[in-house]
Amino acid sequence: MADYHDDLRLAHVLADAADAATMDRFKALDLKVETKPDMTPVSEADKAAEELIRYQLQRARPRDAILGEEYGIEGTGPRRWVVDPIDGTKNYVRGVPVWATLISLMEAREGGYQPVVGVVSAPALGRRWWAAKGAGAYTGRSLSSATRLHVSNVANLSDASFAYSSLSGWEEQGRLDGFLDLTRAVWRTRGYGDFWPYMMVAEGSLDICAEPELSLWDMAATAIVVQEAGGTFTGLDGVHGPHSGNAAASNGLLHEALLEYLNRD
C-alpha cells in the first residue's frame, strides 16, 4: 500500500498557511465580497487562500495538477490536488465560525480520480480533521497530537441523528417528500451543513447526513475522512466517492436506508 505520509504533512502545512490567511480577514469590516456567475459569494479571503495554496503546491509538488474552486484546473497527470479555500463562504462573510479549508490529494485509478489524502481545517472552531488512504482518520491539533476517529454503531434509523444543510435543494430536485419522511423516521435532525456534518459522522456524533447538490471540491477531503473512519460516502445514486454531484454519508450500517428514503419518488 502506498505511503502518503509526506503528502499528508504537506497538506497540513498548506492548511496552516490558509488558516492564517483566512483568520486574518475573518470578521474584517472592510472584507470585499463579490457575487460569482452562479450567484454564490466569493470573498477576497477565498481568493487569497487559494492563491497561497497554489503557490506552495507549485513549489513543493510541481508535477501535480491543482483543481480549485476559484481558479479551476491547472496541470495534468495522475495526481491532482483539490482545494476549496473556504467551504462555507456564506458563513464566513456573516461572521459565523462554521467554515473550513478543504484540501485533498486525488490519484487516478480505475473509475476515475479517487481521494487518498484529505485535510479539513476549521480554524474559527479550533478544529482540524484529516485522513490518508489505509492509515485511518484523525482529529487534533497536529499529526503528533491526534485522536483516531470512528463512526457510530447505531443500527436503527429510529435511533439515528441526521444532519442536512437546507430544505430548498431537496425541493428543487423533487426529493422533498422522501427527505421529510426520513426526518420523521430518525431520532433527531439538525441543520448543520457544509463540511461539519461529515466530520461529525466520522467522529460518531452524527449517524447520517446528505446534501442534494455539491461540487468535487466540497467532497473530496470530507469523503476520505468519512471512509477512513469506517463510514460510507456515496452520491445519492449509491456510487462510492465524491463524483456524483451530491452526497450521502453514514456510519455504513444505515446507508441503504438513507438512500432508500432520499430516492423515493
Side-chain angles (χ1 to χ4, degrees):
M1 183 175 292
D3 182 357
Y4 297 103
H5 185 71
D6 287 345
D7 294 310
L8 183 59
R9 287 179 62 88
L10 174 59
H12 275 272
V13 171
L14 299 173
D16 288 343
D19 286 355
T22 52
M23 285 300 292
D24 182 61
R25 299 299 292 155
F26 185 48
K27 294 187 178 181
L29 297 179
D30 61 343
L31 181 71
K32 296 178 182 177
V33 182
E34 302 171 4
T35 300
K36 294 191 286 188
D38 63 1
M39 301 309 293
T40 60
V42 57
S43 74
E44 62 181 90
D46 291 79
K47 294 180 177 180
E50 184 169 324
E51 288 170 352
L52 183 61
I53 291 170
R54 283 176 177 270
Y55 174 74
Q56 294 199 14
L57 279 173
Q58 286 162 355
R59 296 186 65 186
R61 296 288 190 276
R63 295 184 179 181
D64 293 352
I66 307 169
L67 171 65
E69 178 177 11
E70 307 307 334
Y71 295 106
I73 184 73
E74 180 180 357
T76 59
R79 288 165 47 100
R80 177 182 297 173
W81 293 85
V82 179
V83 177
D84 188 344
I86 299 179
D87 181 54
T89 298
K90 292 178 182 177
N91 284 345
Y92 184 88
V93 301
R94 289 296 301 271
V96 179
V98 184
W99 49 270
T101 295
L102 312 183
I103 301 170
S104 177
L105 172 63
M106 304 185 76
E107 286 191 345
R109 303 192 170 212
E110 186 176 349
Y113 284 87
Q114 296 299 327
V116 295
V117 168
V119 172
V120 176
S121 190
L125 295 176
R127 298 294 309 275
R128 184 177 291 185
W129 304 261
W130 62 89
K133 187 170 180 61
Y138 296 84
T139 186
R141 294 288 183 179
S142 66
L143 282 167
S144 60
S145 178
T147 302
R148 188 156 188 172
L149 301 177
H150 297 280
V151 295
S152 75
N153 293 316
V154 173
N156 297 307
L157 274 181
S158 59
D159 299 321
S161 185
F162 168 50
Y164 61 94
S165 55
S166 68
L167 295 177
S168 59
W170 301 104
E171 185 173 28
E172 290 166 5
Q173 291 194 6
R175 299 178 186 267
L176 186 59
D177 288 345
F179 172 86
L180 292 175
D181 286 344
L182 176 61
T183 67
R184 298 181 186 108
V186 299
W187 166 63
R188 190 169 189 253
T189 62
R190 285 294 182 269
Y192 297 115
D194 298 311
F195 69 95
W196 206 11
Y198 302 96
M199 298 303 95
M200 287 191 279
V201 168
E203 291 178 340
S205 52
L206 285 177
D207 309 299
I208 53 177
C209 67
E211 290 183 89
E213 186 175 6
L214 293 169
S215 297
L216 178 60
W217 45 76
D218 298 313
M219 297 183 281
T222 59
I224 190 168
V225 174
V226 169
Q227 291 164 348
E228 287 295 321
T232 300
F233 189 106
T234 73
L236 298 176
D237 55 8
V239 175
H240 287 267
H243 294 289
S244 298
N246 45 49
S250 76
N251 62 5
L253 301 173
L254 299 169
H255 208 79
E256 185 175 340
L258 171 63
L259 293 180
E260 191 277 326
Y261 272 97
L262 296 178
N263 285 304
R264 285 185 176 178
D265 293 333

Short mmCIF file of all heavy atoms in Angstrom, two decimals, residues 50-112:
data_model
loop_
_atom_site.label_atom_id
_atom_site.label_comp_id
_atom_site.label_asym_id
_atom_site.label_seq_id
_atom_site.Cartn_x
_atom_site.Cartn_y
_atom_site.Cartn_z
N GLU A 50 -6.68 30.43 -1.75
CA GLU A 50 -6.41 29.50 -2.84
C GLU A 50 -5.11 29.87 -3.55
O GLU A 50 -4.32 28.98 -3.92
CB GLU A 50 -7.57 29.46 -3.83
CG GLU A 50 -7.33 28.43 -4.92
CD GLU A 50 -8.54 28.16 -5.79
OE1 GLU A 50 -9.67 28.16 -5.26
OE2 GLU A 50 -8.36 27.91 -7.00
N GLU A 51 -4.87 31.14 -3.75
CA GLU A 51 -3.62 31.57 -4.38
C GLU A 51 -2.42 31.12 -3.56
O GLU A 51 -1.41 30.66 -4.10
CB GLU A 51 -3.61 33.09 -4.54
CG GLU A 51 -4.55 33.60 -5.63
CD GLU A 51 -4.70 35.10 -5.59
OE1 GLU A 51 -4.20 35.73 -4.64
OE2 GLU A 51 -5.34 35.66 -6.52
N LEU A 52 -2.52 31.22 -2.25
CA LEU A 52 -1.44 30.82 -1.35
C LEU A 52 -1.19 29.32 -1.45
O LEU A 52 -0.04 28.87 -1.55
CB LEU A 52 -1.80 31.21 0.08
CG LEU A 52 -0.77 30.94 1.17
CD1 LEU A 52 0.51 31.72 0.90
CD2 LEU A 52 -1.35 31.33 2.53
N ILE A 53 -2.26 28.54 -1.43
CA ILE A 53 -2.13 27.08 -1.53
C ILE A 53 -1.53 26.69 -2.88
O ILE A 53 -0.63 25.83 -2.96
CB ILE A 53 -3.49 26.41 -1.31
CG1 ILE A 53 -3.94 26.59 0.15
CG2 ILE A 53 -3.44 24.93 -1.67
CD1 ILE A 53 -5.38 26.19 0.41
N ARG A 54 -2.01 27.31 -3.94
CA ARG A 54 -1.48 27.00 -5.28
C ARG A 54 0.01 27.32 -5.37
O ARG A 54 0.79 26.54 -5.94
CB ARG A 54 -2.25 27.79 -6.34
CG ARG A 54 -3.63 27.22 -6.67
CD ARG A 54 -4.37 28.11 -7.66
NE ARG A 54 -5.65 27.54 -8.03
CZ ARG A 54 -5.85 26.71 -9.04
NH1 ARG A 54 -4.83 26.37 -9.82
NH2 ARG A 54 -7.03 26.23 -9.31
N TYR A 55 0.40 28.45 -4.84
CA TYR A 55 1.81 28.85 -4.90
C TYR A 55 2.70 27.82 -4.18
O TYR A 55 3.74 27.40 -4.70
CB TYR A 55 1.98 30.22 -4.26
CG TYR A 55 3.42 30.67 -4.14
CD1 TYR A 55 4.13 31.09 -5.26
CD2 TYR A 55 4.07 30.67 -2.91
CE1 TYR A 55 5.46 31.49 -5.16
CE2 TYR A 55 5.40 31.07 -2.79
CZ TYR A 55 6.08 31.47 -3.92
OH TYR A 55 7.41 31.86 -3.80
N GLN A 56 2.27 27.39 -3.00
CA GLN A 56 3.07 26.43 -2.25
C GLN A 56 3.09 25.06 -2.92
O GLN A 56 4.11 24.37 -2.91
CB GLN A 56 2.56 26.34 -0.81
CG GLN A 56 2.76 27.62 -0.02
CD GLN A 56 2.69 27.41 1.48
OE1 GLN A 56 2.73 26.30 1.98
NE2 GLN A 56 2.59 28.51 2.21
N LEU A 57 1.96 24.65 -3.52
CA LEU A 57 1.93 23.38 -4.22
C LEU A 57 2.81 23.41 -5.47
O LEU A 57 3.49 22.42 -5.79
CB LEU A 57 0.50 23.03 -4.62
CG LEU A 57 -0.38 22.42 -3.53
CD1 LEU A 57 -1.82 22.30 -4.01
CD2 LEU A 57 0.16 21.05 -3.10
N GLN A 58 2.82 24.52 -6.17
CA GLN A 58 3.65 24.63 -7.37
C GLN A 58 5.13 24.51 -7.03
O GLN A 58 5.92 24.01 -7.85
CB GLN A 58 3.36 25.95 -8.08
CG GLN A 58 2.02 25.96 -8.80
CD GLN A 58 1.53 27.36 -9.12
OE1 GLN A 58 2.14 28.35 -8.71
NE2 GLN A 58 0.41 27.44 -9.83
N ARG A 59 5.50 24.93 -5.84
CA ARG A 59 6.90 24.81 -5.40
C ARG A 59 7.20 23.41 -4.87
O ARG A 59 8.25 22.85 -5.16
CB ARG A 59 7.21 25.84 -4.32
CG ARG A 59 7.11 27.28 -4.80
CD ARG A 59 7.55 28.25 -3.73
NE ARG A 59 8.97 28.10 -3.42
CZ ARG A 59 9.59 28.75 -2.43
NH1 ARG A 59 8.93 29.60 -1.67
NH2 ARG A 59 10.87 28.57 -2.22
N ALA A 60 6.27 22.85 -4.08
CA ALA A 60 6.53 21.57 -3.41
C ALA A 60 6.19 20.36 -4.27
O ALA A 60 6.81 19.30 -4.13
CB ALA A 60 5.73 21.51 -2.11
N ARG A 61 5.18 20.48 -5.15
CA ARG A 61 4.74 19.37 -6.00
C ARG A 61 4.51 19.87 -7.43
O ARG A 61 3.39 19.87 -7.93
CB ARG A 61 3.44 18.76 -5.45
CG ARG A 61 3.56 18.12 -4.07
CD ARG A 61 4.34 16.81 -4.12
NE ARG A 61 4.25 16.09 -2.86
CZ ARG A 61 5.02 16.31 -1.81
NH1 ARG A 61 5.96 17.26 -1.88
NH2 ARG A 61 4.88 15.61 -0.70
N PRO A 62 5.57 20.31 -8.11
CA PRO A 62 5.40 20.95 -9.42
C PRO A 62 4.81 20.03 -10.49
O PRO A 62 4.28 20.52 -11.49
CB PRO A 62 6.83 21.38 -9.78
CG PRO A 62 7.72 20.50 -8.97
CD PRO A 62 6.99 20.26 -7.69
N ARG A 63 4.89 18.73 -10.32
CA ARG A 63 4.37 17.80 -11.33
C ARG A 63 2.89 17.49 -11.11
O ARG A 63 2.26 16.87 -11.97
CB ARG A 63 5.17 16.50 -11.32
CG ARG A 63 6.62 16.68 -11.73
CD ARG A 63 7.34 15.35 -11.79
NE ARG A 63 8.73 15.51 -12.22
CZ ARG A 63 9.58 14.50 -12.37
NH1 ARG A 63 9.17 13.25 -12.14
NH2 ARG A 63 10.83 14.72 -12.76
N ASP A 64 2.35 17.86 -9.96
CA ASP A 64 0.96 17.54 -9.66
C ASP A 64 0.02 18.60 -10.22
O ASP A 64 0.35 19.79 -10.27
CB ASP A 64 0.75 17.45 -8.14
CG ASP A 64 1.48 16.28 -7.52
OD1 ASP A 64 2.02 15.45 -8.28
OD2 ASP A 64 1.51 16.19 -6.27
N ALA A 65 -1.17 18.18 -10.62
CA ALA A 65 -2.20 19.11 -11.06
C ALA A 65 -2.92 19.70 -9.85
O ALA A 65 -2.86 19.14 -8.74
CB ALA A 65 -3.20 18.39 -11.96
N ILE A 66 -3.58 20.83 -10.06
CA ILE A 66 -4.32 21.50 -8.99
C ILE A 66 -5.70 21.89 -9.53
O ILE A 66 -5.81 22.51 -10.59
CB ILE A 66 -3.60 22.77 -8.50
CG1 ILE A 66 -2.15 22.49 -8.12
CG2 ILE A 66 -4.36 23.40 -7.32
CD1 ILE A 66 -1.32 23.74 -7.87
N LEU A 67 -6.73 21.53 -8.79
CA LEU A 67 -8.10 21.95 -9.09
C LEU A 67 -8.63 22.71 -7.89
O LEU A 67 -8.66 22.19 -6.78
CB LEU A 67 -8.99 20.73 -9.37
CG LEU A 67 -10.49 21.02 -9.49
CD1 LEU A 67 -10.78 21.90 -10.71
CD2 LEU A 67 -11.28 19.72 -9.56
N GLY A 68 -9.02 23.97 -8.11
CA GLY A 68 -9.56 24.78 -7.02
C GLY A 68 -10.87 25.40 -7.39
O GLY A 68 -11.17 25.61 -8.58
N GLU A 69 -11.67 25.72 -6.39
CA GLU A 69 -12.99 26.29 -6.65
C GLU A 69 -12.90 27.62 -7.37
O GLU A 69 -13.70 27.92 -8.26
CB GLU A 69 -13.76 26.47 -5.34
CG GLU A 69 -15.13 27.11 -5.56
CD GLU A 69 -15.96 27.23 -4.31
OE1 GLU A 69 -15.43 27.02 -3.20
OE2 GLU A 69 -17.15 27.56 -4.44
N GLU A 70 -11.92 28.45 -6.99
CA GLU A 70 -11.89 29.82 -7.52
C GLU A 70 -11.13 29.96 -8.83
O GLU A 70 -11.43 30.84 -9.62
CB GLU A 70 -11.29 30.76 -6.46
CG GLU A 70 -11.95 30.69 -5.10
CD GLU A 70 -13.46 30.87 -5.15
OE1 GLU A 70 -13.96 31.51 -6.10
OE2 GLU A 70 -14.16 30.35 -4.26
N TYR A 71 -10.12 29.10 -9.08
CA TYR A 71 -9.27 29.30 -10.25
C TYR A 71 -9.18 28.09 -11.18
O TYR A 71 -8.36 28.07 -12.09
CB TYR A 71 -7.87 29.72 -9.80
CG TYR A 71 -7.85 31.07 -9.12
CD1 TYR A 71 -7.70 31.17 -7.74
CD2 TYR A 71 -8.02 32.24 -9.85
CE1 TYR A 71 -7.71 32.41 -7.10
CE2 TYR A 71 -8.03 33.48 -9.23
CZ TYR A 71 -7.87 33.55 -7.85
OH TYR A 71 -7.88 34.79 -7.23
N GLY A 72 -10.04 27.08 -10.96
CA GLY A 72 -10.14 25.98 -11.90
C GLY A 72 -8.97 25.01 -11.88
O GLY A 72 -8.24 24.89 -10.90
N ILE A 73 -8.77 24.34 -13.04
CA ILE A 73 -7.78 23.28 -13.14
C ILE A 73 -6.49 23.81 -13.76
O ILE A 73 -6.51 24.62 -14.68
CB ILE A 73 -8.31 22.09 -13.97
CG1 ILE A 73 -7.33 20.93 -14.02
CG2 ILE A 73 -8.70 22.55 -15.36
CD1 ILE A 73 -7.22 20.17 -12.74
N GLU A 74 -5.38 23.32 -13.24
CA GLU A 74 -4.06 23.68 -13.76
C GLU A 74 -3.19 22.43 -13.73
O GLU A 74 -3.06 21.80 -12.68
CB GLU A 74 -3.43 24.78 -12.91
CG GLU A 74 -2.05 25.21 -13.38
CD GLU A 74 -1.45 26.32 -12.51
OE1 GLU A 74 -2.15 26.78 -11.58
OE2 GLU A 74 -0.30 26.71 -12.77
N GLY A 75 -2.65 22.07 -14.86
CA GLY A 75 -1.78 20.90 -14.93
C GLY A 75 -2.54 19.63 -15.25
O GLY A 75 -3.77 19.59 -15.29
N THR A 76 -1.78 18.56 -15.54
CA THR A 76 -2.33 17.25 -15.85
C THR A 76 -1.50 16.19 -15.13
O THR A 76 -0.45 16.49 -14.56
CB THR A 76 -2.31 16.97 -17.35
OG1 THR A 76 -0.94 17.03 -17.81
CG2 THR A 76 -3.14 17.98 -18.12
N GLY A 77 -1.98 14.96 -15.17
CA GLY A 77 -1.21 13.88 -14.59
C GLY A 77 -2.03 13.02 -13.65
O GLY A 77 -3.22 13.30 -13.40
N PRO A 78 -1.42 11.99 -13.10
CA PRO A 78 -2.15 11.02 -12.27
C PRO A 78 -2.45 11.50 -10.85
O PRO A 78 -3.21 10.85 -10.15
CB PRO A 78 -1.21 9.82 -12.24
CG PRO A 78 0.16 10.41 -12.39
CD PRO A 78 -0.01 11.57 -13.32
N ARG A 79 -1.83 12.62 -10.45
CA ARG A 79 -2.07 13.16 -9.10
C ARG A 79 -2.66 14.56 -9.22
O ARG A 79 -2.16 15.39 -9.97
CB ARG A 79 -0.76 13.21 -8.30
CG ARG A 79 -0.26 11.84 -7.87
CD ARG A 79 1.18 11.89 -7.41
NE ARG A 79 1.47 12.96 -6.50
CZ ARG A 79 1.56 12.83 -5.16
NH1 ARG A 79 1.37 11.65 -4.59
NH2 ARG A 79 1.85 13.86 -4.40
N ARG A 80 -3.70 14.81 -8.44
CA ARG A 80 -4.40 16.09 -8.53
C ARG A 80 -4.80 16.55 -7.13
O ARG A 80 -5.50 15.85 -6.41
CB ARG A 80 -5.64 15.94 -9.42
CG ARG A 80 -6.49 17.19 -9.53
CD ARG A 80 -7.73 16.93 -10.39
NE ARG A 80 -7.37 16.58 -11.77
CZ ARG A 80 -8.24 16.18 -12.67
NH1 ARG A 80 -9.51 16.02 -12.36
NH2 ARG A 80 -7.83 15.90 -13.89
N TRP A 81 -4.37 17.75 -6.76
CA TRP A 81 -4.79 18.36 -5.50
C TRP A 81 -6.10 19.11 -5.74
O TRP A 81 -6.23 19.84 -6.73
CB TRP A 81 -3.72 19.32 -5.00
CG TRP A 81 -2.46 18.62 -4.58
CD1 TRP A 81 -1.42 18.27 -5.40
CD2 TRP A 81 -2.11 18.18 -3.28
NE1 TRP A 81 -0.44 17.64 -4.68
CE2 TRP A 81 -0.83 17.57 -3.37
CE3 TRP A 81 -2.74 18.24 -2.03
CZ2 TRP A 81 -0.19 17.02 -2.26
CZ3 TRP A 81 -2.11 17.70 -0.93
CH2 TRP A 81 -0.84 17.09 -1.04
N VAL A 82 -7.04 18.93 -4.86
CA VAL A 82 -8.36 19.56 -4.98
C VAL A 82 -8.58 20.44 -3.76
O VAL A 82 -8.47 19.98 -2.61
CB VAL A 82 -9.47 18.50 -5.10
CG1 VAL A 82 -10.83 19.17 -5.20
CG2 VAL A 82 -9.22 17.61 -6.32
N VAL A 83 -8.91 21.72 -4.01
CA VAL A 83 -8.91 22.72 -2.94
C VAL A 83 -10.21 23.51 -2.93
O VAL A 83 -10.64 24.03 -3.96
CB VAL A 83 -7.72 23.70 -3.12
CG1 VAL A 83 -7.75 24.79 -2.05
CG2 VAL A 83 -6.39 22.94 -3.11
N ASP A 84 -10.81 23.60 -1.76
CA ASP A 84 -11.88 24.58 -1.51
C ASP A 84 -11.33 25.52 -0.44
O ASP A 84 -11.22 25.14 0.73
CB ASP A 84 -13.15 23.89 -1.01
CG ASP A 84 -14.33 24.86 -0.92
OD1 ASP A 84 -14.10 26.07 -0.94
OD2 ASP A 84 -15.48 24.39 -0.82
N PRO A 85 -10.93 26.73 -0.82
CA PRO A 85 -10.25 27.60 0.14
C PRO A 85 -11.10 27.96 1.35
O PRO A 85 -10.58 28.06 2.47
CB PRO A 85 -9.89 28.83 -0.69
CG PRO A 85 -10.86 28.82 -1.83
CD PRO A 85 -11.09 27.37 -2.14
N ILE A 86 -12.40 28.19 1.14
CA ILE A 86 -13.32 28.40 2.26
C ILE A 86 -14.63 27.68 1.93
O ILE A 86 -15.40 28.15 1.09
CB ILE A 86 -13.60 29.89 2.54
CG1 ILE A 86 -12.31 30.62 2.90
CG2 ILE A 86 -14.62 30.03 3.67
CD1 ILE A 86 -12.50 32.12 3.16
N ASP A 87 -14.85 26.56 2.56
CA ASP A 87 -16.12 25.86 2.44
C ASP A 87 -17.04 26.44 3.50
O ASP A 87 -16.79 26.28 4.70
CB ASP A 87 -15.92 24.36 2.66
CG ASP A 87 -17.21 23.59 2.51
OD1 ASP A 87 -17.86 23.73 1.47
OD2 ASP A 87 -17.59 22.86 3.45
N GLY A 88 -18.08 27.13 3.05
CA GLY A 88 -18.94 27.86 3.98
C GLY A 88 -18.73 29.35 3.88
O GLY A 88 -18.74 30.06 4.89
N THR A 89 -18.53 29.84 2.64
CA THR A 89 -18.27 31.27 2.46
C THR A 89 -19.40 32.15 3.00
O THR A 89 -19.16 33.22 3.55
CB THR A 89 -18.02 31.58 0.97
OG1 THR A 89 -16.86 30.87 0.53
CG2 THR A 89 -17.80 33.07 0.75
N LYS A 90 -20.65 31.69 2.85
CA LYS A 90 -21.77 32.49 3.35
C LYS A 90 -21.67 32.65 4.87
O LYS A 90 -22.00 33.72 5.41
CB LYS A 90 -23.10 31.84 2.96
CG LYS A 90 -23.38 31.89 1.47
CD LYS A 90 -24.68 31.19 1.11
CE LYS A 90 -24.92 31.21 -0.39
NZ LYS A 90 -26.16 30.48 -0.76
N ASN A 91 -21.23 31.62 5.56
CA ASN A 91 -20.98 31.74 7.00
C ASN A 91 -19.83 32.71 7.26
O ASN A 91 -19.90 33.58 8.14
CB ASN A 91 -20.65 30.38 7.61
CG ASN A 91 -21.86 29.51 7.80
OD1 ASN A 91 -22.99 29.97 7.76
ND2 ASN A 91 -21.63 28.23 8.02
N TYR A 92 -18.75 32.54 6.49
CA TYR A 92 -17.55 33.35 6.69
C TYR A 92 -17.87 34.84 6.59
O TYR A 92 -17.46 35.64 7.45
CB TYR A 92 -16.51 32.96 5.64
CG TYR A 92 -15.18 33.66 5.79
CD1 TYR A 92 -14.19 33.15 6.60
CD2 TYR A 92 -14.92 34.85 5.09
CE1 TYR A 92 -12.96 33.79 6.73
CE2 TYR A 92 -13.70 35.50 5.21
CZ TYR A 92 -12.73 34.96 6.03
OH TYR A 92 -11.52 35.61 6.17
N VAL A 93 -18.61 35.22 5.55
CA VAL A 93 -18.85 36.66 5.33
C VAL A 93 -19.84 37.24 6.33
O VAL A 93 -19.90 38.46 6.50
CB VAL A 93 -19.33 36.94 3.89
CG1 VAL A 93 -18.29 36.46 2.88
CG2 VAL A 93 -20.68 36.31 3.61
N ARG A 94 -20.61 36.38 7.02
CA ARG A 94 -21.54 36.86 8.04
C ARG A 94 -20.98 36.74 9.45
O ARG A 94 -21.67 37.06 10.43
CB ARG A 94 -22.85 36.08 7.95
CG ARG A 94 -23.71 36.42 6.73
CD ARG A 94 -24.18 37.86 6.73
NE ARG A 94 -24.96 38.19 7.91
CZ ARG A 94 -26.28 38.04 8.03
NH1 ARG A 94 -26.97 37.55 7.02
NH2 ARG A 94 -26.90 38.38 9.14
N GLY A 95 -19.75 36.25 9.59
CA GLY A 95 -19.15 36.14 10.90
C GLY A 95 -19.52 34.88 11.66
O GLY A 95 -19.25 34.77 12.86
N VAL A 96 -20.12 33.91 10.97
CA VAL A 96 -20.43 32.61 11.59
C VAL A 96 -19.17 31.74 11.52
O VAL A 96 -18.59 31.59 10.44
CB VAL A 96 -21.60 31.92 10.85
CG1 VAL A 96 -21.89 30.55 11.48
CG2 VAL A 96 -22.84 32.80 10.89
N PRO A 97 -18.73 31.15 12.63
CA PRO A 97 -17.44 30.46 12.63
C PRO A 97 -17.40 29.09 11.99
O PRO A 97 -16.36 28.43 12.00
CB PRO A 97 -17.11 30.36 14.13
CG PRO A 97 -18.44 30.30 14.80
CD PRO A 97 -19.33 31.21 13.99
N VAL A 98 -18.50 28.64 11.40
CA VAL A 98 -18.55 27.30 10.81
C VAL A 98 -18.16 27.38 9.33
O VAL A 98 -19.01 27.52 8.44
CB VAL A 98 -19.95 26.67 10.98
CG1 VAL A 98 -19.95 25.24 10.44
CG2 VAL A 98 -20.36 26.66 12.45
N TRP A 99 -16.88 27.31 9.07
CA TRP A 99 -16.31 27.28 7.72
C TRP A 99 -14.95 26.59 7.80
O TRP A 99 -14.37 26.48 8.89
CB TRP A 99 -16.17 28.69 7.13
CG TRP A 99 -15.51 29.68 8.05
CD1 TRP A 99 -16.11 30.49 8.97
CD2 TRP A 99 -14.11 29.94 8.16
NE1 TRP A 99 -15.17 31.24 9.64
CE2 TRP A 99 -13.94 30.93 9.16
CE3 TRP A 99 -12.97 29.45 7.51
CZ2 TRP A 99 -12.68 31.42 9.53
CZ3 TRP A 99 -11.72 29.94 7.87
CH2 TRP A 99 -11.59 30.92 8.88
N ALA A 100 -14.46 26.12 6.68
CA ALA A 100 -13.21 25.36 6.71
C ALA A 100 -12.51 25.41 5.37
O ALA A 100 -13.14 25.62 4.33
CB ALA A 100 -13.48 23.89 7.07
N THR A 101 -11.21 25.21 5.40
CA THR A 101 -10.43 24.98 4.19
C THR A 101 -10.35 23.49 3.96
O THR A 101 -10.00 22.73 4.88
CB THR A 101 -9.03 25.58 4.32
OG1 THR A 101 -9.13 27.01 4.43
CG2 THR A 101 -8.17 25.24 3.11
N LEU A 102 -10.68 23.05 2.75
CA LEU A 102 -10.66 21.63 2.39
C LEU A 102 -9.54 21.39 1.39
O LEU A 102 -9.50 22.02 0.33
CB LEU A 102 -12.00 21.21 1.77
CG LEU A 102 -13.28 21.63 2.49
CD1 LEU A 102 -14.50 21.05 1.77
CD2 LEU A 102 -13.26 21.18 3.94
N ILE A 103 -8.65 20.47 1.71
CA ILE A 103 -7.51 20.14 0.85
C ILE A 103 -7.46 18.63 0.68
O ILE A 103 -7.43 17.88 1.67
CB ILE A 103 -6.18 20.64 1.47
CG1 ILE A 103 -6.22 22.16 1.67
CG2 ILE A 103 -5.00 20.23 0.60
CD1 ILE A 103 -5.06 22.69 2.49
N SER A 104 -7.46 18.18 -0.56
CA SER A 104 -7.40 16.74 -0.83
C SER A 104 -6.41 16.46 -1.94
O SER A 104 -6.25 17.26 -2.86
CB SER A 104 -8.78 16.22 -1.22
OG SER A 104 -8.73 14.84 -1.55
N LEU A 105 -5.77 15.31 -1.85
CA LEU A 105 -4.97 14.78 -2.95
C LEU A 105 -5.73 13.61 -3.54
O LEU A 105 -6.14 12.70 -2.81
CB LEU A 105 -3.59 14.31 -2.47
CG LEU A 105 -2.75 13.56 -3.50
CD1 LEU A 105 -2.41 14.45 -4.69
CD2 LEU A 105 -1.48 13.00 -2.86
N MET A 106 -5.95 13.66 -4.86
CA MET A 106 -6.61 12.57 -5.55
C MET A 106 -5.64 11.92 -6.53
O MET A 106 -4.80 12.60 -7.12
CB MET A 106 -7.86 13.08 -6.29
CG MET A 106 -8.84 13.81 -5.39
SD MET A 106 -10.37 14.29 -6.25
CE MET A 106 -11.21 12.71 -6.35
N GLU A 107 -5.79 10.61 -6.71
CA GLU A 107 -4.96 9.88 -7.66
C GLU A 107 -5.82 9.19 -8.69
O GLU A 107 -6.93 8.72 -8.38
CB GLU A 107 -4.09 8.85 -6.93
CG GLU A 107 -2.94 9.46 -6.16
CD GLU A 107 -1.96 8.40 -5.68
OE1 GLU A 107 -2.30 7.21 -5.69
OE2 GLU A 107 -0.83 8.78 -5.29
N ALA A 108 -5.32 9.12 -9.92
CA ALA A 108 -6.03 8.45 -11.00
C ALA A 108 -6.07 6.96 -10.73
O ALA A 108 -5.03 6.32 -10.50
CB ALA A 108 -5.35 8.74 -12.33
N ARG A 109 -7.29 6.41 -10.73
CA ARG A 109 -7.48 4.98 -10.50
C ARG A 109 -8.57 4.48 -11.43
O ARG A 109 -9.20 5.25 -12.14
CB ARG A 109 -7.87 4.72 -9.04
CG ARG A 109 -6.83 5.26 -8.08
CD ARG A 109 -7.02 4.77 -6.68
NE ARG A 109 -5.84 5.15 -5.89
CZ ARG A 109 -5.37 4.44 -4.90
NH1 ARG A 109 -5.96 3.31 -4.56
NH2 ARG A 109 -4.31 4.85 -4.22
N GLU A 110 -8.80 3.20 -11.41
CA GLU A 110 -9.89 2.65 -12.20
C GLU A 110 -11.20 3.28 -11.74
O GLU A 110 -11.50 3.31 -10.55
CB GLU A 110 -9.95 1.13 -12.01
CG GLU A 110 -10.96 0.46 -12.91
CD GLU A 110 -10.94 -1.05 -12.77
OE1 GLU A 110 -10.00 -1.59 -12.14
OE2 GLU A 110 -11.86 -1.70 -13.30
N GLY A 111 -11.95 3.83 -12.67
CA GLY A 111 -13.19 4.51 -12.31
C GLY A 111 -13.01 6.00 -12.07
O GLY A 111 -13.95 6.67 -11.68
N GLY A 112 -11.78 6.52 -12.29
CA GLY A 112 -11.56 7.95 -12.14
C GLY A 112 -10.69 8.29 -10.95
O GLY A 112 -10.21 7.42 -10.23
#
